[in-house]
Amino acid sequence: MAFDARAGERAGSRPRRDASRSALARRSRTLPPGAGPADDSDEPTSLPDSEPVTLRLDGRVALVTGAGSADGIGYATARRLRDLGARVAIVSTTRRIHDRATELGATGFVADLTDEAEVGALADAIAEQLGEVEVLVNNAGLASRASPEVLRPVAQLSYDEWHGEIERNLTTAFLCSRAFIGGMAERGWGRIVNLSATAGPVNALPTEAAYAAAKAGVVGLTRALAMEMVADGVTVNAVAPGTIYTAASTMAELKQGLGTPVGRPGTPDEVAAAITFLCSPAASYITGQMLVVDGGNSVREAQFR
């Protein structure tokens, strides 16, 4: 069923569940005396259960935002999540998302994720059609040919340009995360992976201040939310791609990729592999982290000729 959050009257913002409550599914196991850390007590030691070490996501509902391009990271991630058994929803701002959904066997939605009301309507529509979201990949915000990154020195950057970059790259992750964390906490399991970038958290280039600030903010949001959700079985991590060869890549970006230690730009599927690992039960002991996928570029101290 097609869904467009802007078709007809907008819904009000969706009431949030109380994510501060302890998870209903949180369990513990008891170790016999002497099996735990040494202390002066013979009382049994209690530890939380660990998850099975598996990559499979059979039956879980996953949402990938910003998956409108067939050559992008969002699309590659949705395909991998589908292959791991997840029931996948994808969303973008244009109706081309329905073409991607048909190709993937996923469910497509159209929504402006910078709009609080549309995010609430999206959450309700996914719950109705697929069930509650358990895996969220906040990929929306990466630049495209239709919506290019603003490249302008701070002295020449308008407030609207600054605000637009923050909204597109950071506010989308905040609104989508807030819409789904309550349900994840109630069920005692969830995965959130936010797309950051090396620009901002690791390095920066002139004219990229707004983008870099937004992507650094994504990492801050990731770490803070990870600590808020850690007791509820929900992990929150970030992936920071370097130069990746997509349909939106410029010639300058591709040349940057050739200059990495690996000697080429990365591919969307290589980034998707990192994302989907962090979405899996196998990554249950990883939270609040940023995984850099840049061919070693941020490690190299200098480029020698």
Side-chain angles (χ1 to χ4, degrees), residues 64-69 71-77 91-94 96 113-114 137-151 164-173 193-201 208 210-212 214-216 218-219 238-250 253 266-272 275 293:
V64 181
T65 70
S69 170
D71 300 312
I73 292 170
Y75 185 87
T77 300
V91 60
S92 75
T93 57
T94 65
R96 69 174 178 169
L113 301 181
T114 67
V137 179
N138 283 312
N139 174 70
L142 298 178
S144 66
R145 294 189 190 278
S147 183
E149 179 185 348
V150 176
L151 299 175
E165 286 289 298
I166 300 298
E167 287 282 287
R168 180 173 66 178
N169 290 285
L170 179 56
T171 300
T172 54
V193 179
N194 297 321
L195 265 291
S196 182
T198 52
E208 284 191 344
Y211 179 80
K215 289 304 186 182
V218 166
V219 177
V239 170
T243 303
I244 307 300
Y245 183 23
T246 71
S249 298
T250 65
E253 289 170 339
T267 68
D269 205 49
E270 288 173 321
V271 181
I275 294 169
V293 183

Side-chain angles (χ1 to χ4, degrees), residues 9-67:
E9 185 177 355
R10 289 182 179 176
S13 59
R14 191 176 192 231
R16 286 189 292 151
R17 298 181 178 92
D18 184 0
S20 65
R21 290 186 293 170
S22 297
L24 299 179
R26 195 165 61 194
R27 303 178 304 276
S28 64
R29 64 169 182 248
T30 301
L31 298 181
D39 55 30
D40 296 329
S41 172
D42 287 333
E43 291 298 318
T45 301
S46 181
L47 291 175
D49 281 338
S50 59
E51 290 190 54
V53 180
T54 177
L55 296 174
R56 298 297 303 178
L57 289 163
D58 296 295
R60 296 198 181 274
V61 177
L63 170 62
V64 181
T65 70

Side-chain angles (χ1 to χ4, degrees), residues 101-178:
T102 299
E103 294 160 5
L104 288 168
T107 306
F109 300 87
V110 178
D112 177 358
L113 301 181
T114 67
D115 186 296
E116 183 178 17
E118 291 196 21
V119 172
L122 171 68
D124 288 334
I126 295 174
E128 180 180 342
Q129 295 187 38
L130 295 176
E132 298 288 345
V133 169
E134 299 165 282
V135 175
L136 171 63
V137 179
N138 283 312
N139 174 70
L142 298 178
S144 66
R145 294 189 190 278
S147 183
E149 179 185 348
V150 176
L151 299 175
R152 210 182 305 282
V154 170
Q156 301 171 18
L157 193 65
S158 72
Y159 175 78
D160 286 342
E161 289 170 334
W162 167 270
H163 187 260
E165 286 289 298
I166 300 298
E167 287 282 287
R168 180 173 66 178
N169 290 285
L170 179 56
T171 300
T172 54
F174 160 69
L175 288 176
C176 289
S177 296
R178 190 183 65 172

